[in-house]
Amino acid sequence: MKSAVVVKNLSKSYKDFTLGDISLSIPQGSIFGLVGENGAGKSTFINAILGIINSSYDTLQYFGKDFEQNQKEIKEEIAVIFDQTHFDLEFTPKLVSGFMKYVYKTWDNGKFENYLLNFNLPKDKKLKEFSRGMKMKFEFAVALSHDTKLLILDEATSGLDPIFRDEILDILRDYSEDEEHTVIMSSHITSDLDKIADYVAFINHGKLVFIRDYDEIQENFGIVTCGLNTLQALSPEDVVAYRKDDYSYKVLINNKHEIRKVFKDLVIENASLEDLMLYTVKGEKLV
């Protein structure tokens, strides 16, 4: 499987925060989710791999090419959407479309105007008159109107209403289905990633805690609500972590099909991405 992005031992230190030794490989044609609390290091990681901030690393490659040696070529094939618009608020969409063809060789003005129409965005209105949601829709219209191989979203859906977020998720799913286009999506809205992510990386306090195939999460992980005797009967190898409620224990397990064979009456609920994060960080280990 080809990799869209390869990172080895990336680090960035500030006075009061360190993003430490992040290594990962993002498969081409996938939607790769980055999750973590605010301040966990998601935006620092994205800014580092884009060269916006200086960082140290052993390897940083896009599409098999070294980033340092091929920055201009690589950036031509990337679109980035942050949580706020980066265009001058005095600009109009019409003005932006006029100069984007000089920024990207593959700029498609017809496609851009179709997105404006579909997103109900006026061409001649200044961006400062747009609502937050309209500004983010405009960012998506720009990003999707040139032939990029990689789309990077840093909390870009957080300012959108639920209906439009679902529309964007459908667009992202279609974008990545040809196995040529890749999405890196940083979000604290884990339900969005539950809907579309192929892989998920969890960053906590500057450390990469895990990378998982989302199908593996759905297939193998579950939540069990049980008493102390059942908890103690479970194998530590099958238990990721547990949390104690007032009258029971909630247990995150990683082998739900095998556990069902042994504990036939046990009710096992599907585990969400939020469950994995919560139990990994705040759960107790079974020893």
Side-chain angles (χ1 to χ4, degrees), residues 12-27:
K12 174 64 180 178
S13 292
Y14 295 100
K15 182 178 179 180
D16 56 353
F17 176 78
T18 297
L19 183 73
D21 293 329
I22 305 294
S23 296
L24 51 79
S25 179
I26 299 175

Side-chain angles (χ1 to χ4, degrees), residues 127-196:
L127 297 180
K128 69 180 181 181
E129 300 176 54
F130 282 18
S131 67
R132 173 173 168 75
M134 291 171 68
K135 290 173 185 173
M136 297 315 300
K137 290 178 183 181
F138 174 72
E139 289 287 324
F140 276 97
V142 172
L144 294 166
S145 294
H146 57 100
D147 187 22
T148 60
K149 289 184 179 180
L150 174 64
L151 183 59
I152 300 177
L153 313 178
D154 189 7
E155 297 287 357
T157 59
S158 61
L160 303 176
D161 63 75
I163 294 175
F164 186 71
R165 273 214 326 270
D166 271 350
E167 291 179 33
I168 289 297
L169 296 182
D170 287 339
I171 289 171
L172 296 178
R173 192 180 292 109
D174 291 341
Y175 173 83
S176 66
E177 274 186 350
D178 64 0
E179 299 185 356
E180 293 293 327
H181 297 94
T182 307
V183 178
I184 300 175
M185 183 175 176
S186 164
S187 180
H188 69 274
I189 306 174
T190 56
S191 59
D192 284 353
L193 295 174
D194 276 318
K195 293 175 182 176
I196 64 168

Side-chain angles (χ1 to χ4, degrees), residues 110-267:
K111 183 181 287 187
F112 177 66
E113 292 194 355
N114 282 335
Y115 277 119
L116 293 182
L117 184 63
N118 291 337
F119 294 165
N120 197 27
L121 298 175
K123 290 195 295 185
D124 296 311
K125 197 172 186 177
K126 291 185 177 181
L127 297 180
K128 69 180 181 181
E129 300 176 54
F130 282 18
S131 67
R132 173 173 168 75
M134 291 171 68
K135 290 173 185 173
M136 297 315 300
K137 290 178 183 181
F138 174 72
E139 289 287 324
F140 276 97
V142 172
L144 294 166
S145 294
H146 57 100
D147 187 22
T148 60
K149 289 184 179 180
L150 174 64
L151 183 59
I152 300 177
L153 313 178
D154 189 7
E155 297 287 357
T157 59
S158 61
L160 303 176
D161 63 75
I163 294 175
F164 186 71
R165 273 214 326 270
D166 271 350
E167 291 179 33
I168 289 297
L169 296 182
D170 287 339
I171 289 171
L172 296 178
R173 192 180 292 109
D174 291 341
Y175 173 83
S176 66
E177 274 186 350
D178 64 0
E179 299 185 356
E180 293 293 327
H181 297 94
T182 307
V183 178
I184 300 175
M185 183 175 176
S186 164
S187 180
H188 69 274
I189 306 174
T190 56
S191 59
D192 284 353
L193 295 174
D194 276 318
K195 293 175 182 176
I196 64 168
D198 298 303
Y199 302 91
V200 177
F202 176 32
I203 296 177
N204 189 52
H205 297 303
K207 300 293 184 183
L208 181 61
V209 180
F210 64 69
I211 301 175
R212 295 200 181 275
D213 183 317
Y214 190 78
D215 286 341
E216 177 200 353
I217 296 173
Q218 291 293 288
E219 179 68 20
N220 296 325
F221 288 79
I223 299 291
V224 171
T225 302
C226 63
L228 179 59
N229 289 339
T230 301
L231 174 65
Q232 292 175 337
L234 293 170
S235 168
E237 295 181 355
D238 295 327
V239 174
V240 178
Y242 69 90
R243 304 190 76 199
K244 190 178 186 309
D245 284 345
D246 290 338
Y247 303 105
S248 63
Y249 293 87
K250 289 190 176 294
V251 188
L252 176 64
I253 56 174
N254 58 20
N255 197 6
K256 63 185 179 184
H257 296 296
E258 293 302 316
I259 288 177
R260 279 197 179 106
K261 294 177 183 178
V262 178
F263 301 89
K264 299 186 184 300
D265 296 328
L266 202 59
V267 176

Side-chain angles (χ1 to χ4, degrees), residues 29-42:
S30 68
I31 298 178
F32 190 93
L34 283 174
V35 294
E37 297 178 336
N38 290 334
K42 304 187 302 298

